[in-house]
């Protein structure tokens, strides 16, 4: 079924993953962990007193060591092997007669779970959540032991996946008659600013041996907290079954969810028994909006034509590894929004609950992706081993978990799957697309195709509603002409590689590899399929019906250190030929969240607020008189460049084009591309001050100065926030260390050592510098600057108000410190 001429009218919906039950208990503290094989580790008699005590989310591998004993393709970290988690607990008096289940938001991977030595089940796929009923096996008056075995395999991931219980865990304590796990779904049709028809589905489980007459009460609560609709349904919950109840109403003047105003409603669902007692309460967050996809015009959100200015994101959080943290995720998304991003692709698997919650709140639209692999193997121990048995369960669970997030606008069934080359590959695509429609008819499905000819010839592209092409901008015109009914977008684009602040003396020439394991930051270099951002800009403007793009990638991530050690997407084995490269160079932002130059190139095209960025640095001792390519990225009309006060002339954006080298698959244009998106001067190097001034209508709107610097003397510390919450011990503060000379100028080539210390009402969490070839693990307080910058992350101590003092020192540098306040913050008033 193709939706090219369909109107996608959609409300959205409860905060799917985070549909909150009154009986939900935080179950993340005081787990015991052991890395290694434990004989009969599920037995209650196992002595785990000497095991490490950890708090979930937990990634056992991020502390390293980085080693070429492990696969650089997966970050050079020890993510595989066996690990055990155990938790001892007793039921409270109020829990003893309840229905008790345990919910894991994600365990990486091949998890098996026991309660009191009773085997509950396994879940191979590490990216999806699941729940087990504990009730029949609990000791009501004594100790209970949950045991979790995790066994990730080597050669199971094309990037760093993390290891262990890396997402949160909950104990779901309910009465026997209660709303099912992920048991609410809200959607709407005929959505306008005047009215929306809101449809609500609720699933109720009855674990009793007798039928129960119940009343389902649904309160719709506005963004301001007012009840705008109250509905009641009286029904019979049959013994031992799950019933479905449906209700709808017309909401007048709905406050639409949009990117500018991401308004969010809540649905409070209560179950009452025959006595009128409330036996269950369940909160679902949702937003109302209208989405429409057309082949000729593009994507519309609430009637507004909206181009995807998107990024692909892997799930790791840089120095924190894969362990989910809300603030770390929020910071990533804030940095992306600063770049001009309005869309996220969760490459290449289901994301964390936190990411989707934040996208709901921040107005970012999401392409929610299920699989990187189907039945044909990309890597030896990948998902293909489990696909036949688990794909339907995993895909349905992803959609049920996530279907209520207003941010999600498409379901992706796969990325670069090798079935594209198979004559019957379309059959798998067709079935997965059908599952998407069965679970959620309100959204289109999609896939990211990299095999241009195979995906079309073997009819996989015909099976999805929206066709995504990876790295094929030069083919947009051809495919539109051949398939005018298709709705098309760049599901993965660019793949430019760069190292922050690195400019080799070969400047704009293509490279093989450099001895420093770095890549020039002139934003022109990539693997054979890759191309500069300019080319995607060009081909999308020439083909305006293209929905937009998801560039690869917003952030650097551990693993896939292309071009060092990398071969291709289907190569089994290790990528350690160019060790110590162990993380990607693809990001517009490095592992620590520091923008590379490319960040500003996107910003110049994706934002309207006047901006100006100048590159490279201006420390070129030994190159006196040699021409240095100088670039300006701006959204202003023109830029004037000065060297030591002398004007080198004005250049007009779009008129004075910058020549850059371009060569990639399927591109038949000139290898020297005249880019209208950059301004370039070739400047004979002389030490001193390089200054750029930008103009709109002849008026100065921006200025940037780069100086030749002296020796690094001082460390400047800056915090991303001055006050953080100590309510739950999960909030983080990010401190940037910047090396400067005696005049306060940024030392952009300084790579000396420094050491952090954290005292007071917080603890050291991690550090980093964004260097893809550094082997210093994030749990070290001592590291090196990378091109003048380094990062330390501190965590607030739970319940402790006061001050965190973060200090930094280094050889030849003046020591310094900064203070951040920890404070108990007012909790949002609950609806439960």
């Amino acid at each position: 079924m193709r939706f090219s001429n369909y109107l996608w009218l959609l409300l959205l919906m409860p905060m799917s993953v985070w549909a909150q039950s009154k009986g939900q208990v935080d179950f993340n503290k005081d787990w015991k962990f052991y890395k290694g094989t434990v004989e009969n580790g599920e037995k209650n008699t196992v002595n785990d007193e000497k095991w490490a005590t950890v708090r979930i989310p937990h990634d056992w591998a991020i502390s390293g060591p980085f080693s070429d004993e492990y696969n650089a393709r997966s970050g050079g970290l020890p993510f595989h092997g066996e690990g055990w988690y155990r938790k001892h607990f007793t039921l409270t008096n109020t829990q003893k007669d309840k229905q008790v289940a345990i919910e894991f938001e994600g365990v990486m991977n091949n998890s098996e779970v026991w309660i009191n030595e009773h085997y509950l089940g396994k879940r191979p796929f590490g990216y999806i959540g699941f729940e087990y009923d504990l009730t029949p096996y609990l000791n009501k008056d004594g100790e209970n032991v949950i045991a979790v075995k995790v066994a990730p395999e080597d050669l199971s991931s094309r990037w760093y996946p993390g290891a262990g219980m890396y997402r949160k865990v909950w104990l779901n304590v309910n009465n026997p008659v209660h709303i099912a796990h992920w048991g609410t779904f809200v959607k709407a049709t005929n959505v306008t600013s005047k009215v929306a028809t809101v449809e609500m589905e609720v699933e109720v489980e009855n674990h009793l041996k007798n039928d129960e007459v119940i009343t389902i009460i649904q309160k719709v609560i506005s963004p301001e907290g007012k009840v705008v609709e109250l509905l009641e349904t009286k029904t019979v919950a049959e013994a031992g079954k799950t019933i479905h109840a449906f209700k709808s109403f017309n909401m007048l003047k709905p406050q639409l969810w949009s990117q500018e105003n991401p308004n969010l409603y809540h649905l409070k669902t209560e179950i009452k028994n025959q006595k009128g007692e409330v036996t269950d309460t369940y909160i679902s967050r949702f937003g109302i909006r209208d989405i429409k996809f057309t082949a000729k015009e593009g994507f519309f959100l609430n009637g507004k034509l909206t181009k995807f200015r998107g990024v692909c994101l892997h799930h790791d959080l840089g120095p924190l590894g894969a362990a989910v943290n809300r603030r770390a995720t929020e910071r990533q998304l804030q940095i992306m929004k600063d770049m001009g991003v309005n869309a996220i692709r969760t490459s290449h698997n289901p994301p964390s609950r936190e990411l989707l919650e934040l996208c709901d709140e921040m107005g970012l639209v999401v392409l929610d992706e299920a699989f990187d692999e189907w039945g044909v193997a990309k890597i030896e121990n990948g998902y293909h081993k489990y696909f036949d048995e688990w794909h339907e369960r995993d895909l349905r669970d992803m959609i049920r978990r996530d279907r209520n997030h207003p941010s999600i606008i498409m379901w992706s069934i796969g990325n670069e799957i090798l079935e594209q080359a198979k004559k019957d590959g379309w059959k798998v695509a067709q079935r997965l697309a059908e599952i998407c429609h069965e679970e959620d008819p309100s959204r289109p499905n999609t896939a990211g195709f990299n095999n241009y000819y195979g995906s079309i010839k073997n009819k996989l592209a015909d099976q999805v509603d929206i066709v995504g092409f990876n790295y094929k901008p030069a083919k947009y015109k051809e495919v539109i002409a051949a398939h005018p009914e298709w709705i098309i977008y760049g599901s993965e684009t660019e793949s430019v590689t760069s190292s922050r602040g690195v400019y080799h003396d070969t400047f704009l020439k293509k490279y093989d590899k450099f001895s420093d394991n770095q890549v020039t930051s002139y934003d022109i270099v990539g693997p054979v399929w890759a191309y500069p951002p300019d080319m995607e800009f060009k081909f999308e403007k020439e083909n305006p019906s293209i929905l937009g793009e998801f560039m690869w990638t917003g952030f650097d991530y551990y693993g896939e250190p292309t071009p060092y050690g990398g071969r291709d997407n289907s190569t089994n084995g290790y990528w350690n030929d160019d060790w110590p490269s162990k993380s990607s160079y693809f990001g517009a932002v490095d592992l620590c969240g520091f923008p590379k130059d490319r960040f500003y190139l996107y910003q110049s095209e994706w934002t309207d607020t006047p901006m100006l960025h100048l590159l490279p640095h201006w420390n070129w001792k030994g190159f006196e008189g040699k021409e240095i390519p100088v670039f300006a990225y701006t959204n202003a009309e023109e830029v004037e460049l000065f060297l030591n006060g002398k004007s080198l002339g004005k250049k007009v954006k779009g008129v004075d084009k910058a020549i850059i080298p371009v060569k990639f698959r399927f591109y038949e244009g000139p290898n020297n591309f005249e880019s209208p998106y950059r301004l370039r001067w070739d400047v004979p190097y002389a030490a001193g001050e390089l200054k750029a001034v930008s103009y709109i209508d002849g008026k100065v709107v921006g200025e940037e100065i780069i100086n030749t610097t002296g020796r690094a003397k001082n460390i400047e510390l800056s915090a991303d926030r001055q006050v953080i919450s100590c309510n739950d011990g999960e909030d983080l503060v990010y401190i940037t260390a910047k090396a400067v000379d005696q005049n306060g100028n940024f030392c952009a080539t300084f790579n000396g050592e420094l050491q952090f210390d954290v005292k007071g009402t917080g603890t050291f969490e991690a550090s980093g510098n964004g260097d893809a070839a550094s082997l210093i693990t994030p749990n070290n307080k001592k590291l090196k600057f990378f091109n003048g910058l380094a990062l330390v992350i501190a965590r607030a101590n739970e319940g402790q108000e006061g001050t965190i003092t973060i200090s930094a020192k280094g050889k030849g540098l003046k020591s310094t410190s900064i203070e951040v306040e920890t404070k108990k913050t007012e909790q949002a008033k609950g609806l439960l």
Side-chain angles (χ1 to χ4, degrees), residues 357-374:
E357 287 180 7
L358 288 161
C359 287
D360 290 343
E361 295 164 11
M362 298 169 73
L364 292 162
V365 298
V366 175
L367 188 162
D368 199 353
E369 192 153 76
F371 306 122
D372 185 54
E373 194 176 86
W374 294 350

Side-chain angles (χ1 to χ4, degrees), residues 417-459:
I417 34 81
L418 298 187
E419 279 81 350
Q420 293 169 95
K422 303 293 184 181
K423 289 183 178 180
D424 61 351
W426 66 271
K427 295 179 181 179
V428 185
Q430 182 187 65
R431 180 56 190 143
L432 294 173
E434 287 173 349
I435 291 171
C436 293
H437 293 154
E438 291 165 7
E439 289 294 335
D440 178 17
S442 65
R443 290 185 185 84
N445 56 61
T446 186
F449 299 117
N450 66 320
N451 184 339
Y452 176 73
Y453 295 116
S455 63
I456 296 172
K457 178 183 177 181
N458 295 323
K459 299 190 179 302

